[in-house]
Amino acid sequence: LTSTDSTFCGPVAKVSAKGDWPNQAVYMMKLLDAYTDPSTCTNTSVAHDTAIWLNSPFMTDQNVTRNFFWTYLVFQRGYYDMPRQPGLRIETPDTLGRKCWAFAYLREKWLSLEKSLVTVLSDQGISFDNFTTEFDAAIPFTMNLCEEVMANCFVNASYDPSRNGTCHSKIDEFRYLGV
């Protein structure tokens, strides 16, 4: 978590978030993971400023477009709206499956990371309350959407629990992550 290579922190990590989900989810978790890695220099101004930025309303307020939680809770939510309005793109089971895989990955990693991350940042005098509150709320919200889409069998209609995921081949495609 430095801006340049240094003798005390080593080389700058070359991590990017090319493409769409799930790459963005993996990138975010690698960033958060870096704070809990003892070999990471978290005492730098870049590390401090990044943590402050992640916790700021700019990143956690769902009304600020294109930030992490707007993408997580507003933009991505639009892909799961049922029914879709005429003329709006309907996502394929494979595409929705990639997004749900990303959300499941975020949930799994977050549950094992949250406590140590908050402790590390708190020890440095940094509150991460806004970020953790939003993340904790986003996980069940988005995972429920994934379950409803599967149960609804990807039909462009309002959610109907009686369908109950009876479209096994579409659900298999949904879980397939492709190449």
Side-chain angles (χ1 to χ4, degrees):
L1 293 172
T2 64
S3 58
T4 60
D5 293 350
S6 67
T7 56
F8 57 92
C9 287
V12 174
K14 307 292 190 249
V15 180
S16 68
K18 292 181 182 175
D20 202 353
W21 299 90
N23 292 334
Q24 294 169 2
V26 172
Y27 177 82
M28 177 58 80
M29 282 296 110
K30 284 185 177 185
L31 174 61
L32 297 176
D33 233 359
Y35 282 97
T36 61
D37 182 345
S39 68
T40 303
C41 289
T42 57
N43 61 348
T44 66
S45 62
V46 170
H48 183 269
D49 292 348
T50 300
I52 297 293
W53 173 71
L54 285 169
N55 194 56
S56 73
F58 180 76
M59 282 299 286
T60 59
D61 184 344
Q62 297 173 36
N63 295 313
V64 177
T65 59
R66 304 196 193 284
N67 72 26
F68 182 69
F69 287 103
W70 177 84
T71 299
Y72 202 171
L73 294 167
V74 178
F75 177 73
Q76 293 297 340
R77 167 70 174 103
Y79 284 111
Y80 300 89
D81 284 344
M82 296 176 283
R84 300 293 285 172
Q85 297 301 315
L88 291 181
R89 181 176 83 179
I90 297 172
E91 292 289 334
T92 66
D94 180 64
T95 302
L96 288 173
R98 290 172 190 270
K99 290 174 171 49
C100 287
W101 179 92
F103 295 139
Y105 171 79
L106 289 169
R107 176 185 60 189
E108 179 184 332
K109 293 293 285 180
W110 181 248
L111 293 174
S112 66
L113 179 69
E114 180 180 11
K115 186 176 179 179
S116 58
L117 176 64
V118 169
T119 300
V120 165
L121 294 174
S122 178
D123 288 349
Q124 295 178 31
I126 300 170
S127 168
F128 218 53
D129 292 346
N130 293 337
F131 191 93
T132 57
T133 297
E134 289 298 319
F135 215 115
D136 289 341
I139 290 170
F141 174 77
T142 52
M143 293 313 298
N144 184 57
L145 291 174
C146 294
E147 294 298 322
E148 285 185 1
V149 166
M150 283 191 295
N152 212 37
C153 290
F154 312 94
V155 173
N156 187 25
S158 296
Y159 172 61
D160 179 356
S162 71
R163 287 190 189 93
N164 200 21
T166 55
C167 51
H168 300 292
S169 65
K170 285 188 176 184
I171 289 176
D172 287 345
E173 184 182 343
F174 178 72
R175 293 192 175 149
Y176 172 68
L177 291 177
V179 179

